[in-house]
Amino acid sequence: MGVYMWLSKMEQRVEELEPLAVDIDMLNKQMNDLKPLTQEYTGYSKTIDKVNELGMQYDNVLRGSMDNGSPSRRSSVSPRKPSLTPSLLSSGPRRPSASPKFGGAPGSPIRRESGIPMFQEASPIQTQLSEINNRYDMIGIRLGDRDRELANMREEVKKYLDLLKGLAQFIEKQERAFLKNLSQQTKEAR
């Protein structure tokens, strides 16, 4: 399956996720349903890395031939670390992000340098690589947001359930006291 097809498929799967539930069991199910998507996303980073590496090599070869044999610049491509957090998504060079990645330590870089100098116009290959990287990153951001939203909603629902349980216990206690008091008043009235 091609990278564009995988990106489209994943974007569609993320788009089709059910709205957040308000039932604790459904929230747990939604959290479990999200795990395979997140694992697939994370696992696909090696393919994205390879596409970037090969694309930049190909671009360098083309640029080298267009520069009439001048030595082509070497692009620096560091391993991709999947991002499940918001970051700067731009068509320009990719910079390390100070945002914590999903499941990682805060401050760890989650981006790769594309090797595109700021002063040089992006080639069609670099533009395609940028689009692929941005789409991949956006999927990760949406998965990370979804995971956090589910966890937050589950905590909120638990709080409300605890409050309702406490309220039900209070009402039950008041009802028993009322019935006891009513029965005493009935006995005294006879």
Side-chain angles (χ1 to χ4, degrees):
M1 174 183 343
V3 172
Y4 282 112
M5 190 183 305
W6 183 87
L7 288 168
S8 294
K9 181 182 139 197
M10 279 299 283
E11 287 166 343
Q12 182 178 358
R13 288 168 68 190
V14 170
E15 187 67 33
E16 291 173 351
L17 290 171
E18 297 277 328
L20 291 181
V22 291
D23 175 73
I24 200 81
D25 293 331
M26 281 302 297
L27 283 167
N28 287 331
K29 180 188 178 310
Q30 288 179 335
M31 291 177 95
N32 288 332
D33 291 347
L34 189 64
K35 287 177 185 175
L37 284 175
T38 302
Q39 289 170 345
E40 183 178 342
Y41 166 81
T42 303
Y44 206 74
S45 68
K46 290 178 182 171
T47 301
I48 298 292
D49 283 342
K50 194 66 175 171
V51 166
N52 278 291
E53 180 183 332
L54 293 173
M56 292 308 292
Q57 287 174 2
Y58 182 60
D59 187 59
N60 287 338
V61 167
L62 290 179
R63 283 182 183 263
S65 66
M66 284 195 269
D67 293 341
N68 296 326
S70 66
S72 63
R73 60 178 167 70
R74 175 176 164 80
S75 66
S76 61
V77 179
S78 59
R80 176 174 201 75
K81 295 179 182 159
S83 167
L84 296 178
T85 60
S87 65
L88 298 173
L89 297 177
S90 67
S91 59
R94 304 177 67 76
R95 297 176 184 88
S97 170
S99 303
K101 67 180 181 180
F102 181 74
S108 60
I110 57 174
R111 297 285 180 252
R112 159 203 344 87
E113 293 293 327
S114 68
I116 304 170
M118 297 279 287
F119 56 85
Q120 191 172 6
E121 187 176 318
S123 71
I125 292 170
Q126 291 168 338
T127 302
Q128 287 179 332
L129 292 175
S130 181
E131 177 192 349
I132 288 168
N133 289 325
N134 287 341
R135 287 177 67 189
Y136 181 80
D137 289 342
M138 188 55 67
I139 291 167
I141 290 167
R142 291 183 68 196
L143 289 172
D145 288 348
R146 175 71 175 201
D147 186 66
R148 280 182 294 285
E149 288 169 356
L150 286 168
N152 290 341
M153 181 63 83
R154 185 174 63 178
E155 289 306 310
E156 286 296 314
V157 169
K158 281 182 180 179
K159 285 180 194 175
Y160 287 115
L161 288 175
D162 288 344
L163 285 171
L164 287 173
K165 185 178 176 182
L167 182 59
Q169 289 171 344
F170 172 77
I171 290 172
E172 187 178 312
K173 183 179 174 184
Q174 293 299 317
E175 186 179 15
R176 279 192 306 247
F178 176 76
L179 291 174
K180 183 178 178 183
N181 190 16
L182 183 62
S183 98
Q184 285 177 352
Q185 287 178 358
T186 305
K187 286 180 184 176
E188 291 174 1
R190 290 185 191 177

